[in-house]
Amino acid sequence: MTSRLISFEGIDGSGKSTQIDLLSAWLTERNIEFVIVREPGGTSISERIRDILLDKQNLFFSGESESFLFLSARAQLVSEVIRPALESGKFVICDRFIDSTLAYQGYGRGMDLSQLEAMNNMAIGGCVPGQTFLLDVDIENSIQRRSGNEDDRMESAGVKFLSKVREGYIQLSTQFSNRINLLDSTEVKSSIFNKITTQLCRVYGDLNV
Ligand code: TYD
């Protein structure tokens, strides 16, 4: 059976939250049990790690240290929330998961991809997403959509970094094409959402009601 773990990925300002909100309402209407988590965060330990990771005062983060902290937050979230929810038959909707690390720390920061994959595997212990929706947006749109919100440490990393992350995500969608669905985030919200629910109904027969 396909894992009921569903992740949403994309660069900042790609519209993940909007689609997650729509999905949450859609699942509620169908009386389907689910939990929503965001990364980094979702447990009290992981939220504290999040504060360290996104704090703009932490100027001299090494790539290794940053990676370990993202992975540590993930390991805690999996053992405390995600695995128990999956074991009880619930859907789990993740706002970012393993692919964020590969895209941001791997393609963005240049950390070794196979090492990051091994670290991901250790953190998730088999909880691989059944489906991933990658909302692709160009850098200009991403920056425009974000304007008005103050940048956190990751968002301050600059346009060049963000371009590498975006390209990385696109490569990942080719590499893991059986799991990652690439969606154009400049399309109207309702049509993106239609694609998401069509795919979910195709993969999870019990949603098809
Ligand atoms: P957040 O405010 O949650 O961003 P968004 O609303 O765009 O999801 O901040 C999370 C930031 O951390 C975001 O810039 C992406 C980054 N990130 C990584 O670099 N690696 C990771 O493994 C994860 C989960 C997030």
Side-chain angles (χ1 to χ4, degrees), residues 51-206:
D51 290 342
I52 300 172
L53 279 164
L54 301 186
D55 187 346
K56 265 165 82 173
Q57 289 185 350
N58 294 332
L59 283 178
F60 302 107
F61 240 117
S62 78
E64 289 80 2
S65 168
E66 182 181 281
S67 303
F68 278 119
L69 283 180
F70 275 114
L71 269 297
S72 174
R74 178 162 308 136
Q76 189 64 31
L77 180 66
V78 168
S79 64
E80 218 178 300
V81 181
I82 296 180
R83 184 171 297 111
L86 291 173
E87 281 172 358
S88 71
K90 291 181 187 155
F91 276 94
V92 177
I93 317 293
C94 276
D95 185 345
R96 299 193 177 283
F97 202 51
I98 46 176
D99 304 301
S100 282
T101 307
L102 300 176
Y104 282 78
Q105 281 62 55
Y107 288 96
R109 296 258 191 256
M111 302 291 297
D112 185 89
L113 282 165
S114 52
Q115 278 184 347
L116 290 174
E117 275 193 57
M119 286 161 75
N120 259 337
N121 287 339
M122 185 175 172
I124 66 174
C127 291
V128 178
Q131 286 291 297
T132 297
F133 296 99
L134 168 59
L135 293 157
D136 179 49
V137 65
D138 58 71
I139 308 300
E140 241 170 64
N141 263 309
S142 153
I143 291 169
Q144 228 170 41
R145 287 184 188 187
R146 254 176 34 208
S147 67
N149 305 334
E150 210 204 318
D151 284 352
D152 59 41
R153 190 182 64 85
M154 293 304 294
E155 288 163 347
S156 314
V159 170
K160 211 169 145 199
F161 173 74
L162 218 51
S163 308
K164 287 195 260 180
V165 174
R166 182 189 179 206
E167 286 312 313
Y169 265 135
I170 293 172
Q171 289 207 33
L172 290 171
S173 73
T174 315
Q175 189 182 346
F176 302 107
S177 57
N178 56 334
R179 164 174 70 85
I180 303 183
N181 304 275
L182 177 65
L183 299 166
D184 177 359
S185 153
T186 57
E187 275 184 34
V188 283
K189 288 171 193 160
S190 55
S191 112
I192 300 173
F193 186 60
N194 246 323
K195 288 183 179 162
I196 293 174
T197 50
T198 304
Q199 174 65 5
L200 290 179
C201 289
R202 206 178 61 75
V203 175
Y204 306 100
D206 57 324

